[in-house]
Amino acid sequence: KWLEQNRYITGYRAEIDRRRIGLGVFAFVRVDAERNAGGAAKLLEDAIRRLPEVTACHYISGAGTFELQVMATDLDAFSLFATETLLNLPNVKDIHTSFSLGEVKAGAALPLTHLQRPTAGRRGRRAGRAS
């Protein structure tokens, strides 16, 4: 309730078992852009946002520009998506793919202990858990 009252919660959604709905391939795709500035980067960002196969996208440090999480029904579908869609996005120089071989931890709650306020009489200690 505290998180809702303080507007930290932006929405609710169901967690769906991707395998049960036929999404057997989960890939991490690093996208290398030709240029990382101005309009070129904006065009690529906008194109990535419109792809339903991309479930998450992050700017990354180090090699590459973006790290995508991509889901597909099978390897053939992923291959088609990579070669006919990703490689043809504006400003894409190259892509590098790693496939998930199994999830160790997914969909975990965010760590919230830093949001807890100490209560009176408990200086230096954190009050109970946020819910």
Side-chain angles (χ1 to χ4, degrees):
K1 293 286 182 195
W2 183 84
L3 292 172
E4 289 175 333
Q5 292 167 352
N6 288 282
R7 293 184 248 178
Y8 287 105
I9 294 177
T10 59
Y12 293 92
R13 64 181 149 243
E15 286 190 34
I16 298 172
D17 184 335
R18 67 179 173 82
R19 289 175 198 86
R20 291 196 61 171
I21 62 167
L23 295 172
V25 172
F26 186 163
F28 300 93
V29 182
R30 189 183 78 220
V31 175
D32 298 332
E34 291 285 348
R35 291 169 282 145
N36 294 332
K42 176 87 170 92
L43 283 173
L44 180 53
E45 286 176 31
D46 291 343
I48 290 170
R49 281 189 192 98
R50 289 191 299 271
L51 299 173
E53 296 87 351
V54 176
T55 59
C57 174
H58 298 267
Y59 273 114
I60 58 171
S61 62
T65 307
F66 297 103
E67 183 81 17
L68 312 180
Q69 291 180 8
V70 177
M71 295 199 190
T73 55
D74 55 33
L75 287 175
D76 290 335
F78 177 83
S79 178
L80 189 65
F81 174 73
T83 58
E84 295 195 4
T85 301
L86 290 180
L87 283 172
N88 289 306
L89 292 177
N91 197 36
V92 169
K93 179 168 69 174
D94 201 2
I95 64 172
H96 308 273
T97 304
S98 297
F99 293 101
S100 172
L101 300 178
E103 293 167 317
V104 174
K105 183 176 181 179
L110 296 176
L112 302 177
T113 55
H114 66 286
L115 298 177
Q116 297 169 345
R117 295 175 289 203
T119 59
R122 286 189 175 182
R123 293 179 194 215
R125 295 184 65 196
R126 301 280 180 183
R129 294 180 173 225
S131 52

